[in-house]
Amino acid sequence: MKTLKIISEESTKILTLLLLFITAGAFAQSAKVIEMKGTDQLRFSVESIEATPGQKITVKLTNDSKFPAAAMSHNFVLLKQSSDAKAVDEASVTHPESEYIAPEMKDKIIAHTGLASGGKTVQVTFNAPKKPGKYLYICTFPGHFNAGMKGTLTVK
């Protein structure tokens, strides 16, 4: 019986350690969630996000509008540091078929959502860049970036 008790105690210790590692891994994998709204005033309700290098982030963007989708939709487009936001926006305006994301500009983008029409929510999960610095995010629905719909992800 002693042998069974020793094995049982060892098994309990091993199982406890295993559960601790699994739990720690689950917490390490959980994303920082940013909930923001896109408004009729062509602004993101969250214009500044902070993250650590490589941190997992989920952005949930809700369109706060009552206007029809063709008049007022929003997206979240996070750009690489070297990207020209104006160039990405201008190219994307001509691509309604791809939710105003220009296929030729995908290499300038870290992450993006689809379009959210009034009352709808879209989301994207990504890892923050590993390089510290400021990264611009914009809405590429026609006219929105030019009107000031942008924000900054600061990685530090």
Side-chain angles (χ1 to χ4, degrees):
M1 288 289 193
K2 272 189 169 182
T3 305
L4 288 177
K5 188 173 183 183
I6 292 171
I7 292 171
S8 178
E9 287 175 15
E10 287 301 312
S11 295
T12 301
K13 288 178 186 177
I14 291 169
L15 284 173
T16 301
L17 285 173
L18 184 60
L19 285 173
L20 285 172
F21 283 119
I22 291 170
T23 303
F27 282 116
Q29 295 298 323
S30 62
K32 175 179 185 174
V33 177
I34 307 296
E35 294 188 29
M36 65 173 69
K37 293 181 181 180
T39 69
D40 288 343
Q41 293 73 37
L42 307 182
R43 295 290 184 267
F44 289 112
S45 64
V46 176
E47 293 182 342
S48 179
I49 301 170
E50 290 190 1
T52 56
Q55 183 176 16
K56 191 178 217 180
I57 299 171
T58 296
V59 171
K60 293 182 179 182
L61 172 65
T62 301
N63 186 340
D64 205 24
S65 184
K66 302 269 189 259
F67 289 110
M72 187 66 69
S73 290
H74 299 299
N75 63 8
F76 170 92
V77 181
L78 178 62
L79 303 175
K80 293 180 178 178
Q81 273 186 320
S82 60
S83 297
D84 178 344
K86 186 176 179 183
V88 171
D89 181 60
E90 287 175 357
S92 294
V93 165
T94 62
H95 290 282
E97 78 286 351
S98 58
E99 300 190 281
Y100 297 105
I101 302 294
E104 67 272 20
M105 292 292 185
K106 288 215 175 205
D107 64 334
K108 309 286 184 205
I109 297 170
I110 295 170
H112 67 86
T113 66
L115 286 174
S117 57
K120 303 294 181 192
T121 299
V122 291
Q123 71 179 44
V124 63
T125 300
F126 59 93
N127 290 324
K130 291 185 179 177
K131 180 181 175 188
K134 294 186 181 288
Y135 297 81
L136 188 65
Y137 57 89
I138 65 174
C139 176
T140 59
F141 191 82
H144 290 198
F145 170 68
N146 284 334
M149 195 163 185
K150 62 186 177 182
T152 304
L153 167 67
T154 301
V155 177
K156 59 181 180 176

